[in-house]
Amino acid sequence: MSTPIISANGRKGRIAVTPRSISDGGHPALRQLEMAGYDVVYPAPGAVPTERQLRKDLPGCVGYIAGTEILSGPLLAEFRELKAISRNGVGVDSIDVEAAKRLGISILTAPGANSQGVAELTIALILASIRSIPWHDGQLKAGQWNRRPGRELAGRVLGLIGCGQIGRRVAGMALGLGMKVLAFDEYPMASFNPSEDFSWASLETVLSSSHVISLHVPPADEPVIGPKSIGLLQEGVAIINTARASLIDDDAVLAALNSGQIGFLATDVFRSEPPEPSPLVSHPNVIATPHIGGYTRESVDRATWAAVDNLLQALANQH
C-alpha cells in the first residue's frame, strides 16, 4: 500500500508523522502542516514504524513528528534533508540526541502536554493494584467467586521518585485521597509545599518509608528499583511505573514479587513495545497497560498541537 499524502502542493518539502495516536492522519492539527505548504506522509499508520518503513518514507523529509521508535545516529545520518524532529511529549531517550546535534537536526519536545493524563493513570493504577481490580474482574469473568483483601489508601505513604510536572499532579491527587506523600527529586521545587502531609525526602527515605512508590524520572545509569534498592523496600510495597521501563530491573522485581517483598507492580512502559511474553508481564500481581498514559483525547490534542507548532516554528527559522 502506498504512503498516504494529504497535501497537494508540497512547496516546502515533506513531513513524516509516526506517533500511533495521530498517524492515521485524522487529527486537525496536522492540517496546519498542509496549510503551511508541506506534504505529510505516514510511514506506519496506527503502528510503530520499522527501520525499513522509515528508510522508505523519510528520505526527502525536512520535518518529522516522531513517536517512540528508536532513532539511532546511523539511521538519522541517512536522512540528509531532515532539519527538525518534534516529539509529541518530553521523552527523547529513543533518539540519539548527540548524533542529531552533529547532523544539524533540532530536537523539539512538548513539556507538560501529557502530564495530566499520565498523572491520572498513575492514580488509577495505584487503586487498581491495592484493590486487585484486574484480578477480581478476571476471576468473576471466569465464573469464580474469589476475593482478595485490599488496602485503604487513607493514611498510607506514597513515595514519588521524581516530582516534576507529573509528580506534582500525582501528589495533589494522592493528598486528596488522604495519603501522605514523600517526594525525592534531584532538583526539588522548594516552593511546592501543597500540604502538611507532603514533604521532600532523600531517595533512601522514600524507598524505605513508602507503601506505594511511583516513578517519574528519566532513564538512569542503573535501575531505580533493582537489587540494591529492593532490600530497602517495605514488604508488600506497590511499584507504579508510568515513566521508563529501564527504571526497574525485571529479574529482580520478578523475584521480589514471588517472595512477597514487592506486592504489586503496575507498568505502562516496556523495553520493546509491544513487549514479548514474559513471566513478569503475565505475573498475577502485575498490571500491564499498553503505554496509555498520555493517550487521552485531551493529552493527544495538547501534545499534537504543541508538536506541530514547534515543528513549524523550527522549520520557519531554517529559512
Side-chain angles (χ1 to χ4, degrees):
M1 184 175 66
S2 60
T3 301
I5 299 178
I6 62 171
S7 172
N9 46 51
R11 294 186 305 274
K12 297 179 180 177
R14 305 199 312 162
I15 290 175
V17 176
T18 61
R20 287 173 295 169
S21 57
I22 57 172
S23 62
D24 60 357
H27 197 280
L30 300 176
R31 299 294 294 176
Q32 297 296 114
L33 302 174
E34 174 189 358
M35 293 171 62
Y38 294 96
D39 288 339
V40 183
V41 299
Y42 304 99
V48 177
T50 63
E51 283 197 5
R52 181 178 179 181
Q53 289 169 319
L54 293 176
R55 286 191 169 97
K56 176 179 178 292
D57 288 319
L58 257 68
C61 286
V62 295
Y64 180 6
I65 297 179
T68 58
E69 59 273 12
I70 301 296
L71 299 175
S72 66
L75 182 65
L76 290 174
E78 297 181 26
F79 311 129
R80 299 184 181 279
E81 296 89 351
L82 191 59
K83 303 300 182 186
I85 297 172
S86 185
R87 282 280 292 114
N88 63 335
V90 295
V92 295
D93 44 293
S94 61
I95 304 172
D96 188 331
V97 175
E98 290 302 317
K101 184 177 179 180
R102 290 195 303 271
L103 293 165
I105 301 171
S106 301
I107 305 295
L108 317 162
T109 62
N114 298 335
S115 298
Q116 186 68 20
V118 176
E120 290 184 7
L121 178 66
T122 299
I123 296 296
L125 292 174
I126 293 172
L127 288 164
S129 296
I130 68 162
R131 297 307 302 267
S132 299
I133 291 173
W135 185 87
H136 284 111
D137 176 71
Q139 291 289 303
L140 201 55
K141 287 178 177 175
Q144 303 295 317
W145 188 259
N146 294 323
R147 300 191 298 171
R148 286 178 172 176
R151 300 181 232 169
E152 295 178 359
L153 287 179
R156 300 274 178 176
V157 177
L158 170 64
L160 296 174
I161 299 179
C163 196
Q165 294 201 47
I166 296 171
R168 292 194 294 272
R169 291 170 190 258
V170 173
M173 295 180 206
L175 291 165
L177 291 170
M179 299 190 79
K180 300 179 185 298
V181 180
L182 293 176
F184 166 77
D185 197 287
E186 289 192 5
Y187 305 98
M189 180 184 288
S191 61
F192 183 72
N193 186 26
S195 163
E196 63 182 15
D197 287 327
F198 173 92
S199 60
W200 297 100
S202 68
L203 177 60
E204 291 74 16
T205 298
V206 171
L207 289 168
S208 62
S209 303
S210 302
H211 302 105
V212 180
I213 293 173
S214 190
L215 307 177
H216 302 286
V217 288
D221 292 336
E222 61 182 38
V224 175
I225 306 298
K228 294 180 181 178
S229 59
I230 285 174
L232 298 174
L233 303 178
Q234 292 199 25
E235 185 175 353
V237 66
I239 305 294
I240 313 296
N241 188 9
T242 56
R244 295 291 184 272
S246 61
L247 295 175
I248 71 167
D249 181 307
D250 288 0
D251 292 338
V253 168
L254 178 60
L257 283 163
N258 289 333
S259 72
Q261 181 69 26
I262 292 177
F264 302 94
L265 168 69
T267 184
D268 189 45
V269 287
F270 307 90
R271 284 176 171 77
S272 61
E273 298 186 352
E276 297 292 330
S278 73
L280 185 64
V281 172
S282 62
H283 195 282
N285 287 358
V286 170
I287 299 173
T289 52
H291 208 145
I292 60 171
Y295 194 40
T296 66
R297 289 188 177 124
E298 296 84 356
S299 288
V300 169
D301 281 349
R302 286 191 296 267
T304 304
W305 282 106
V308 167
D309 289 346
N310 289 343
L311 183 59
L312 288 176
Q313 184 62 50
L315 293 175
N317 290 340
Q318 296 283 338
H319 299 293

